[in-house]
Amino acid sequence: MYGSLSVIEIDNMGRKLEEEDPRLLAEFEAKIDAGLKIEPQDWMPYEYRRQLTRMIEQHAHSEIIGALPEGTWITRAPGFKRKLALMAKVQDEVGHGQLLYAAAETLGKPREQMIADLINGKSKYSNVFNYPAVTWADTAIIAWLIDAGAIVNQVTNSKGSYGPYCRALERICYEESFHLKYGHDTVVALATGTPQQRQMVQEALNRWWEPIMHFFGPPDKMSVHTEKLVRWKVKLATNDAMRQAFLDMYVPKIWELELTLPDPNLHKDPETGKWMYTEPDWEVFRRVINGDGPCNKERLAVRRWAEEKGAWVKRALLNKNEPYVAPLV
Ligand code: BYC
């Protein structure tokens, strides 16, 4: 299963941090402190490998599941140009999934196992993709603000310590920046359109605000992994810092369009320069990321269907000499 890993790495599997060789651990941490990259063949503590695998795998799942809410609108996009742009965006998101699965595989977990863990509910993916895109305006809000949130997170973390993840993030960010422009253009078209279009985009914003606030993860005081991940430069900023950076960049742009946000307490404290807001409901977040959101079952059912119906393609590619019959779908 972990056939591509060296003996040293296999030896490293399953160890607690305190059981690691202190000399190797010190060298590893010194390398990170010096701003050097860790590459797949380098020694790394098991906990670093485990945390990175978890995070990159979740990120990869988020990309392919994230293609679904917007994907359902390809056939209903308003006009040919919007349809083409949305199709290209959705394809990009799936491509990001491929890049990220490849990055996660360098840590030793086979892609088949990652997909199996997604389908059987063992792995998480981003909370935001468990909500429906009710109207066309929802796709505009996703493309603008969720891609914006993703860019805040990914540009920051692309300066991190693990080479393959950072390089994948850099490539992904180029495309995400274009998605953001497309999303902004779509939101502006609706916000400056007819009264019904304005209302549609306002309602979509109201629906997505809490999921977007959840997107950056629980508050630092509730976060389980942040401390370790920041120390190892996997995360270059905490969840609260990323949320603040997003609010700083995008709340003014939302208000510029004379759209409102469904939080009467949202304002920037002039003294601290920090955004103050009503804490989103973290119990809702907990439920949604653990399988009990509005669309969790539907999302996983689509992935399961795709795996089952696409299995013959993989078999055909892998067993070149074996005759195969494509099923009638
Ligand atoms: N959703 O200790 P914490 C895109 C979990 S796709 C679900 O703070 P951490 C796009 C967390 O996993 C881009 N679960 O965790 C695609 C942990 O649970 P486990 C998506 C979440 O890892 C298509 C627990 O809560 N971006 O842009 O330090 C179309 C405790 O949290 C979430 C990424 O994936 C969440 N939002 O920090 C359009 C970025 N937040 O694993 C757009 C990569 C937390 O212990 N990931 N949890 O069971 C990260 O940067 C970090 O993992 C997070 C969380 C900031 C999300």
Side-chain angles (χ1 to χ4, degrees), residues 54 58 124-125 127 150 153 215 217 223-225 235 239 289:
R54 176 190 67 83
Q58 284 182 12
K124 291 192 168 67
Y125 56 89
N127 68 300
N153 171 292
F215 178 78
S223 169
V224 186
H225 307 292
K235 281 167 79 164
N239 300 354
I289 66 170

Side-chain angles (χ1 to χ4, degrees), residues 50-303:
R50 187 184 75 84
Q51 285 284 352
L52 266 171
T53 305
R54 176 190 67 83
M55 205 169 118
I56 305 175
E57 179 181 350
Q58 284 182 12
H59 191 166
H61 296 331
S62 303
E63 300 282 356
I64 60 165
I65 296 272
L68 301 177
E70 289 172 280
T72 57
W73 276 92
I74 291 174
T75 53
R76 297 171 286 168
F80 185 60
K81 285 188 180 160
R82 290 289 190 223
K83 191 192 283 283
L84 282 180
L86 182 59
M87 238 170 3
K89 177 185 189 301
V90 166
Q91 281 179 358
D92 283 354
E93 305 297 2
V94 177
H96 299 167
Q98 301 303 330
L99 284 172
L100 291 161
Y101 283 124
E105 279 183 313
T106 64
L107 292 154
K109 184 167 178 179
R111 187 177 303 216
E112 291 71 22
Q113 189 58 52
M114 292 188 246
I115 299 290
D117 286 350
L118 169 66
I119 290 174
N120 65 29
K122 210 169 143 198
S123 287
K124 291 192 168 67
Y125 56 89
S126 186
N127 68 300
V128 282
F129 303 119
N130 288 308
Y131 293 86
V134 180
T135 68
W136 169 251
D138 294 60
T139 70
I141 295 295
I142 296 172
W144 185 29
L145 295 179
I146 293 184
D147 280 77
I151 291 177
V152 167
N153 171 292
Q154 290 163 190
V155 168
T156 311
N157 289 344
S158 70
K159 313 283 183 304
S161 62
Y162 190 58
Y165 188 40
C166 297
R167 290 188 286 273
L169 290 181
E170 268 177 30
R171 282 188 59 179
I172 291 170
C173 284
Y174 290 126
E175 291 182 352
E176 298 285 27
S177 321
F178 199 72
H179 298 171
L180 184 147
K181 285 195 171 63
Y182 154 80
H184 186 238
D185 185 67
T186 315
V187 169
V188 170
L190 293 170
T192 57
T194 64
Q196 286 100 320
Q197 286 174 319
R198 259 194 87 74
Q199 189 186 342
M200 194 163 80
V201 78
Q202 181 62 64
E203 285 171 2
L205 185 55
N206 296 348
R207 273 194 288 280
W208 284 89
W209 190 246
E210 184 167 79
I212 289 171
M213 291 295 279
H214 286 154
F215 178 78
F216 301 91
D220 294 351
K221 58 178 187 291
M222 285 164 57
S223 169
V224 186
H225 307 292
T226 296
E227 197 187 329
K228 199 179 290 168
L229 292 180
V230 168
R231 174 153 63 95
W232 282 338
K233 295 190 185 162
V234 174
K235 281 167 79 164
L236 275 276
T238 69
N239 300 354
D240 285 335
M242 297 265 194
R243 203 170 0 254
Q244 285 288 331
F246 169 80
L247 293 172
D248 227 16
M249 274 188 257
Y250 291 95
V251 172
K253 292 190 204 302
I254 294 168
W255 285 343
E256 203 173 81
L257 292 171
E258 295 181 6
L259 294 169
T260 58
L261 288 165
D263 178 359
N265 296 322
L266 183 70
H267 68 279
K268 193 169 182 171
D269 183 325
E271 275 177 26
T272 61
K274 289 223 157 150
W275 286 89
M276 310 300 287
Y277 48 82
T278 310
E279 208 53 60
D281 189 332
W282 292 105
E283 177 49 28
V284 169
F285 170 78
R286 194 194 58 76
R287 282 207 312 270
V288 170
I289 66 170
N290 285 300
D292 189 19
C295 295
N296 298 57
K297 289 189 181 62
E298 182 185 325
R299 300 285 183 246
L300 291 189
V302 172
R303 287 312 321 162

